[in-house]
Each structure stands twice: as C-alpha cells, then as structure tokens.
Amino acid sequence: MNPKDFQLNINSIFPSSLWTSGNQEIVYQDIKRYTYREFYDRVRRFANGLVNLGVKPGDKVAVLDWDTYHYLESYYAVPMIGAVLHTVNIRYPPEIIFYTMNHAGDKFVIIRDEFLPMVEKAATLFDFVKGWIVYSDTDEEIKTTLNPYYNYEHIVESSEPIDPPDIDEKTIATLFYTSGTTGLPKGVTFSHRKLILHAQGLAMSISYSPLNITEKDVFLGLVPMFHVHSWGVPYLAIMTGKKYVLPGRYDVKKILEMIKNEHVTFSHMVPSILYMILTYHEIEQYAKYLNGWKVIIGGAALPKGLAKMAKSFGITTVGAYGMSETCPLLTAALFTDDMQNLPEEEKFDYMISTGKPAKLVNLRIVDSNYKDVPWDNKTIGEIIVRAPWLTDEYYKDPEKTEELWKDGWLHTGDLAVVDSGGYIHIVDREKDAVKSGGEFIPSLILENIISEIPEVGEVAVIGRPDPKWGERPIAFITLKSKTTKEKIMDELFKFVDTGRIQKWWIPDDIIFIDSMPKTSTGKIDKKDLRTKL
Ligand code: ADP
C-alpha cells in the first residue's frame, strides 16, 4: 500500500489512541479491568493466533456472546487480519442462528461456553465450521464435544503480537443480519472505511448534541454488540479514548451497580431498556447515581412519557435514528444555536425528536416522485439517504439489494414529516403504518401522546382491519398504576381538545397487557401484537 494513500482501516484507530489514552481502562463487569495498551497487546496476539489457525483474508469469523471484553477484542482482531467479523444475534431462535451462520458460511466461530450446549446439540449441521474458539468467565476447564476446539486464552498466551497488515479500507470488516421482523433475516456488510467514517460521524454528532461529551465521560453501552456493532460505540469509545464499561448479559441490578461503581456518565440504548431500568423495583436506591447520566435513545422513537420519567431522575435523553442497513447513524437531535434560546418545553420536544441529519448524511424526505416534502410538519414522505457508511448490499441477495438501493438512494421505508425548524419527526414505518379511510394515522405520534398519561407504562398502536375504514388503530398498553379504558379515553379526548391529535386518530379499542412482547433487539414487537388482535 502506498503510505501516502492512508487507509481508513480498523488498525488506524490505535496509534493516536494509544498515545493519548494508553492507560485508559476497559472494564468487564467485576471480572476484568485492563488498559488500552494491554487490550491492544491481547488483540494483536489473538489476531496472530487466528492467522496461525488458518484464518484467511475474507473468511467469515462468527462470534456468539453477550457484551464482553473477549467480544471487544474480536471486534478488532478479526478485521485486523482482513477477515470478516460476523456478529451473530444470539437472541434469535436456534434454527435462525443456524440459518444466518450457514448463509454467512462462517469458517471459524468464537463462542462463550454458555452457548456450547445449543451448538453441540446440532453439531453435525455445522460442517462448514473449521474451528471453534471457546472462552469462559471462569478458570475452570472448558469441556466440549465440538471439534476442532481451541481455547481462546491459550491462543492469546501462546501467540506473538502480530504486526498488523495495512488492510485496504474497502475490505469488508463486518457482517450481521437484520432482525427479520418480516421474513428471514438479511445480511448487511460494512467495510473498514465505512466503520471508521461512521465512528467519526458519531463522535461529531455527539459533540454537537446537548450531551456535551468530553474525555471525562465513562461509556457503558446497552445496545448489544451483536446488533449493528452496538451502534459503532466499540469503535467510537476506543477512538476517542473513553473509559469503556462492558456489561455482559443485561441484568438491571448489575447495570445499576456498574453505573454506581464505575461512575458511568454516558450510555445508549433502545427505549424499552431505559424503561426496564427506571421501573426496576430497587431504583430509588440508585437514583442519586443516575443524576447527570446522558443517554442516547434510538432504534425506536423515544416516547415523551419515558423522557419525562428520565428527566425526573436527572437523566438527559437525546433521540437518534438509524437502521441496520445504515451502520446505523442517520440523524441525532443535534444542538444548534437556534435551539438554545427556545422555551424549555419546546427544547425538550426537539431533544426527543428524530432530530436532524448527522454530518455527511445526505437525507431526503420525498413523495413517490422523489419530490422533497415541504417543511410544514404535515406532509408525509419516505426517508431516503446517501452517506459514507451505508451497506452496499444485502449479502448474497441481489434482488433485495436492488430494492433497497432503488434509483441510487437507500430507501429506509420510514415515513416522516419535517417541521419549519428542519427537525424530522418519524410518524411511522411503511410496513406498520395505520391507514384509515385512505389517510395515515401516525402511530408514533399517537404512542408518544399516550405515553404521557401518567398510568401508562409502554404503549404500541397498530392497525386492525376494518370493513368500513380499511384499518382502525388499536392501542396495546401496559400499566404502571391502575386505571381504566374509560379514563384513558377521557385523557385522549383532552388531547383532541388541545389540538395535539385529531378525533379520528383515537383508537377504537385499548387492550391492556401484562408485558409488551419484544423483538430480539429489545424493541416492541408489533408483529407479535398483531397476532393478539
Ligand atoms: P428492526 O427492523 O428489527 O427494528 P433495525 O434496528 O434495523 O431493526 O430498525 C431500524 C428501524 O427502527 C428504522 O427503520 C425505524 O423504523 C426504527 N427507528 C430507529 N430509530 C428510530 C427513531 N429514533 N424514531 C423512530 N423510529 C426509529
């Protein structure tokens, strides 16, 4: 590689990061604590070990784990040698896990001992795998019937640190599969260049947001590392020299303990995780450690009721939007000067909105003729995008790729309006949209408003087929405290009186449920709710 032609590859993160933050810490629960320098040393040893095992450039290397330091090491070691990191969604049912690994053609698998029994049961199906690399949180000897089996720690101990090759930035670094809310999951791939530029875009967006992130902030990510690279935070954190806390399998008590003990100040998650934390039965005991916590919420709209609950603990929440296909960052509730002078309530509404395009994201909201919608807060269009970090393809699926990239724009399938200040508000997903009497009822706006009713916990609005109107909205609700359908309806009519919703948006029925069904990535599962109609 010509040294003047600097390659934006994963290894390019380290020289400056080690120089400025070599003693910075990476912490995994109360099990492991080490510096960036020690981390990099282990990454290079593991990378060399993988080469010695026979991992070749382009080979797919899968990981099955929760959010651990072994996973973080693999995030760097696998792409560092030109191989492709496949982050397997371990919340899929086993047959879908097998489907994605088979589809990817994973040659090697890095796996936490906890997942061995699931794989061992179906070992003969995995004949495409050439080696299983296993680790455990304990020092006990690992026993497995998988063959050939290698011990992760032995590989690290017995290998010399690799001198990282200068990988071409266009080389594919990662592969993972979408949640498969409709049909089988689809694979998306990202090059080194895309990951580096995405981490930079994310860093810029955070610094322009009301979160005001500095080098003193301590990160604890709560988006699983198997899901869209935990939104790129494992690369962002190391690039920007932050103390990085890895929570393992999500357990609210443990998360709260880590927030307390490690002085966590910054996290990111989907709304339902924040809801789970704030409604934890011992939350009052931890309340003082949450004061000042800065949280990016994305993956689904941030309901105002939840943002207000967070505020009552002194937590600042900021909305962001993206999807698996987009690495994921597309928008964030960016902090512009005009926002500073707004009344508090209005500022709050903008901070929980879909926000504005992140730097370098070319985002449009268009009608079916590609005409941009006016900034009138009411004309609905589809969000289409171009940006430096979008997936080029659905892996091995040219037909779906063509649909995704129709006419040279990545089609998100998300419907949105823009207000006069340029803030985007997603009103629905095309496939979830409720169409009543030929008009859209924006289910996300309706959910947002219902979430403000104090007794409401979580809410989802979906369309029920209706002979007269085509579809009518139905609200599924979990309760924080007792109330009745009639009382909720009364509240909704008050929102009609104040002009926040239209009368015909009011759901035909309210169905109380004990808990919301969630997808493998922790979002409310509307597909499942439809089966309950
Ligand atoms: P899944 O399809 O399982 O939800 P993704 O994580 O790729 O998997 O989901 C991306 C989708 O989530 C987006 O297309 C959009 O519909 C929704 N989404 C993400 N962020 C937001 C947000 N801030 N507001 C509203 N919807 C969002």
Side-chain angles (χ1 to χ4, degrees):
M1 207 62 75
N2 178 354
K4 292 183 193 162
D5 194 8
F6 189 89
Q7 297 300 300
L8 296 172
N9 57 38
I10 291 300
N11 196 53
S12 66
I13 290 178
F14 286 106
S16 64
S17 184
L18 291 178
W19 187 300
T20 53
S21 317
N23 294 326
Q24 185 57 280
E25 280 184 323
I26 295 167
V27 182
Y28 166 52
Q29 295 186 343
D30 49 8
I31 294 172
K32 177 93 176 168
R33 180 182 297 273
Y34 59 157
T35 65
Y36 277 22
R37 245 181 231 112
E38 290 161 332
F39 168 74
Y40 187 53
D41 181 63
R42 278 178 56 92
V43 165
R44 287 167 60 211
R45 287 176 194 276
F46 185 48
N48 211 6
L50 290 174
V51 173
N52 294 337
L53 284 185
V55 178
K56 302 259 175 323
D59 280 354
K60 313 291 181 304
V61 180
V63 181
L64 279 86
D65 198 2
W66 308 112
D67 297 0
T68 70
Y69 71 103
H70 286 109
Y71 211 149
L72 188 65
E73 289 171 2
S74 305
Y75 256 63
Y76 287 88
V78 173
M80 184 176 276
I81 55 170
V84 181
L85 176 82
H86 173 195
T87 52
V88 178
N89 184 335
I90 46 184
R91 288 211 177 268
Y92 286 150
E95 62 277 13
I96 301 291
I97 292 185
F98 169 74
Y99 168 81
T100 56
M101 291 175 69
N102 187 35
H103 188 265
D106 293 327
K107 288 256 172 65
F108 287 83
V109 181
I110 301 168
I111 178 169
R112 177 183 188 73
D113 56 352
E114 180 184 334
F115 298 104
L116 288 173
M118 177 187 71
V119 178
E120 283 166 350
K121 260 189 237 160
T124 51
L125 292 177
F126 289 92
D127 53 359
F128 47 90
V129 175
K130 288 190 174 155
W132 302 87
I133 301 163
V134 190
Y135 51 76
S136 165
D137 276 350
T138 70
D139 290 335
E140 276 167 40
E141 198 198 334
I142 296 169
K143 293 206 177 74
T144 177
T145 53
L146 295 176
N147 192 19
Y149 145 73
Y150 308 96
N151 182 304
Y152 186 111
E153 287 304 320
H154 292 174
I155 296 175
V156 172
E157 280 158 25
S158 62
S159 308
E160 288 301 312
I162 201 168
D163 191 9
D166 196 13
I167 301 287
D168 184 316
E169 64 183 19
K170 296 245 168 78
T171 306
I172 297 297
T174 59
L175 161 71
F176 64 90
Y177 285 75
T178 60
S179 308
T181 33
T182 50
L184 284 167
K186 300 184 282 287
V188 285
T189 58
F190 297 92
S191 65
H192 285 251
R193 176 186 159 85
K194 288 181 201 273
L195 295 177
I196 297 290
L197 290 174
H198 178 269
Q200 286 223 327
L202 196 56
M204 283 177 82
S205 295
I206 291 173
S207 45
Y208 281 99
S209 78
L211 297 178
N212 189 23
I213 300 292
T214 73
E215 71 271 18
K216 290 200 188 69
D217 276 288
V218 177
F219 281 3
L220 179 141
L222 290 170
V223 172
M225 289 173 83
F226 64 72
H227 186 54
V228 208
H229 326 114
S230 188
W231 300 354
V233 166
Y235 296 121
L236 166 82
I238 306 294
M239 188 187 267
T240 56
K242 302 293 184 297
K243 176 171 162 184
Y244 190 24
V245 183
L246 293 152
R249 185 182 184 150
Y250 299 169
D251 169 293
V252 176
K253 175 92 180 166
K254 280 190 187 159
I255 290 170
L256 288 166
E257 281 294 311
M258 281 181 270
I259 291 174
K260 175 180 150 193
N261 297 333
E262 302 298 337
H263 310 289
V264 169
T265 59
F266 173 84
S267 296
H268 65 309
M269 64 197 82
V270 294
S272 50
I273 301 272
L274 183 61
Y275 180 75
M276 206 166 79
I277 293 173
L278 298 185
T279 53
Y280 182 62
H281 66 282
E282 290 173 3
I283 191 68
E284 283 313 321
Q285 204 177 304
Y286 293 93
K288 69 172 181 230
Y289 306 106
L290 302 183
N291 191 9
W293 195 21
K294 301 179 264 195
V295 178
I296 294 199
I297 295 284
L302 167 57
K304 191 167 182 182
L306 179 60
K308 279 185 172 167
M309 200 197 311
K311 197 175 176 198
S312 71
F313 284 90
I315 302 169
T316 307
T317 48
V318 164
Y321 155 67
M323 59 199 296
S324 302
E325 291 81 346
T326 63
C327 203
L329 179 68
L330 291 178
T331 74
L334 300 169
F335 203 46
T336 42
D337 281 348
D338 47 344
M339 207 169 145
Q340 301 249 32
N341 306 321
L342 293 173
E344 277 308 310
E345 179 78 13
E346 226 174 292
K347 210 168 12 182
F348 191 75
D349 281 338
Y350 283 131
M351 276 164 66
I352 65 168
S353 74
T354 312
K356 294 185 177 185
K359 302 293 165 203
L360 293 181
V361 172
N362 180 0
L363 181 148
R364 295 173 61 201
I365 301 177
V366 295
D367 66 17
S368 50
N369 297 318
Y370 289 97
K371 192 164 160 277
D372 295 82
V373 299
W375 289 13
D376 61 2
N377 209 17
K378 59 173 199 264
T379 313
I380 297 174
E382 187 195 2
I383 300 180
I384 59 172
V385 281
R386 287 178 182 161
W389 46 75
L390 313 182
T391 189
D392 286 349
E393 57 170 355
Y394 283 128
Y395 188 55
K396 295 190 200 159
D397 194 340
E399 220 169 276
K400 293 252 162 57
T401 300
E402 178 94 22
E403 262 172 53
L404 179 73
W405 273 104
K406 203 168 107 211
D407 301 319
W409 289 88
L410 187 146
H411 289 250
T412 65
D414 289 315
L415 304 175
V417 297
V418 197
D419 66 26
S420 57
Y423 283 85
I424 300 161
H425 304 267
I426 295 188
V427 293
D428 236 319
R429 265 180 164 191
E430 225 159 32
K431 55 179 188 258
D432 290 334
V434 184
K435 215 163 182 203
S436 190
E439 300 253 13
F440 281 121
I441 296 181
S443 60
L444 295 198
I445 293 183
L446 202 48
E447 287 165 7
N448 195 36
I449 282 172
I450 298 174
S451 80
E452 287 183 58
I453 300 173
E455 294 82 11
V456 170
E458 289 181 289
V459 49
V461 171
I462 60 174
R464 180 168 71 186
D466 183 277
K468 183 163 176 204
W469 300 106
E471 269 185 333
R472 288 294 302 152
I474 304 292
F476 283 89
I477 290 178
T478 64
L479 290 178
K480 279 195 298 221
S481 52
K482 270 207 169 137
T483 187
T484 60
K485 279 187 195 182
E486 292 67 34
K487 281 194 187 145
I488 291 191
M489 284 296 184
D490 286 349
E491 292 294 327
L492 289 178
F493 277 105
K494 283 187 206 157
F495 288 123
V496 175
D497 293 342
T498 54
R500 288 188 64 195
I501 55 173
Q502 306 206 31
K503 198 167 163 201
W504 59 279
W505 294 5
I506 292 202
D508 272 13
D509 196 6
I510 288 168
I511 302 177
F512 292 126
I513 47 176
D514 291 338
S515 65
M516 275 291 167
K518 301 279 160 63
T519 66
S520 63
T521 52
K523 304 192 212 177
I524 293 177
D525 190 345
K526 291 198 171 178
K527 196 172 139 210
D528 187 278
L529 286 175
R530 275 189 200 102
T531 66
K532 297 188 195 311
L533 282 177

